[in-house]
Amino acid sequence: LHGKFSLTTNYTGTVALDVPDTVKFLNPIETSSPKLDKPIDFSKPMVFRWKPIPGVLGFHAYIIGMKGKNLLITWSSAEVRTDYGINFDFMQMADVIDNVKKTVFMAPECTEVIVPAGIFTDCDFVHMVMVGYGTGAALGEGQPLPRCQTKTTLTLMLGGKEMEKQMGGFGDFDMGGEDDGE
């Protein structure tokens, strides 16, 4: 990613951004648990594990379960209550670091999170999104204010009663990861 990038617009003119060689694309989020080759037993705790990602500043994960037509059940990896959901935008590095300090985001060295048992039992569909936010570069002044920011995103369908019906259940497809016996 390193180099000098220029943005030319007919509205605000031209602006350039130098991206240092310390800013690199993030690796994908590679999970090793849970195995997704069979339905997850939502009555038990779900242990999510992933490989460390060099250069990540923080992670956030959330799961949404749909139960019937009118009920959404959500779980977040945040340790504190937040007034907002996950922001899929490219966040400023300072905001990511601040969210890690406030325990809204998981720390960069975190490689595991446990979802309590029973939250998604009897849900029709259960879906997880996890985002790792990385380093970037930005100008402190000028118009427009360009920035380069990195992130990596994982989206998983975890199961549910209707998903099994609609998809014919979990097949013998390979979701990657290692078998850790869970």
Side-chain angles (χ1 to χ4, degrees), residues 14 25 58 108 133:
T14 301
F25 286 108
Y133 295 95

Side-chain angles (χ1 to χ4, degrees), residues 39-174:
I40 293 173
D41 183 352
F42 295 122
S43 70
K44 297 178 181 176
M46 288 185 283
V47 179
F48 286 91
R49 288 189 189 104
W50 58 92
K51 292 181 181 180
I53 299 178
V56 77
L57 299 173
F59 294 99
H60 188 272
Y62 74 92
I63 300 173
I64 296 176
M66 183 177 170
K67 198 172 194 178
K69 294 182 180 181
N70 299 315
L71 180 62
L72 288 178
I73 299 168
T74 60
W75 170 89
S76 168
S77 62
E79 292 183 23
V80 295
R81 183 178 174 166
T82 60
D83 293 330
Y84 59 92
I86 183 67
N87 181 346
F88 286 107
D89 293 337
F90 289 89
M91 296 182 68
Q92 298 283 351
M93 290 183 292
D95 293 336
V96 173
I97 293 167
D98 187 50
N99 280 330
V100 169
K101 288 178 186 172
K102 292 177 181 175
T103 66
V104 173
F105 287 178
M106 296 176 280
E109 60 274 3
C110 184
T111 58
E112 179 181 284
V113 67
I114 300 172
V115 179
I119 295 174
F120 299 103
T121 301
D122 295 326
C123 281
D124 297 316
F125 294 95
V126 182
H127 172 258
M128 176 186 186
V129 174
M130 183 171 172
V131 180
Y133 295 95
T135 60
L139 285 183
E141 57 186 49
Q143 280 299 322
L145 287 174
R147 66 185 171 114
C148 170
Q149 190 66 51
T150 58
K151 74 176 183 175
T152 183
T153 305
L154 172 70
T155 302
L156 296 173
M157 286 302 299
L158 298 177
K161 296 183 307 183
E162 287 299 317
M163 183 182 150
E164 291 178 39
K165 285 182 196 175
Q166 299 292 326
M167 306 284 289
F170 284 77
D172 293 326
F173 51 89
D174 182 12

Side-chain angles (χ1 to χ4, degrees), residues 5-31:
F5 296 88
S6 295
L7 172 66
T8 302
T9 71
N10 61 0
Y11 181 71
T12 59
T14 301
V15 66
L17 177 66
D18 288 316
V19 177
D21 60 4
T22 55
V23 177
K24 301 184 183 313
F25 286 108
L26 293 175
N27 292 337
I29 300 170
E30 295 182 55
T31 62

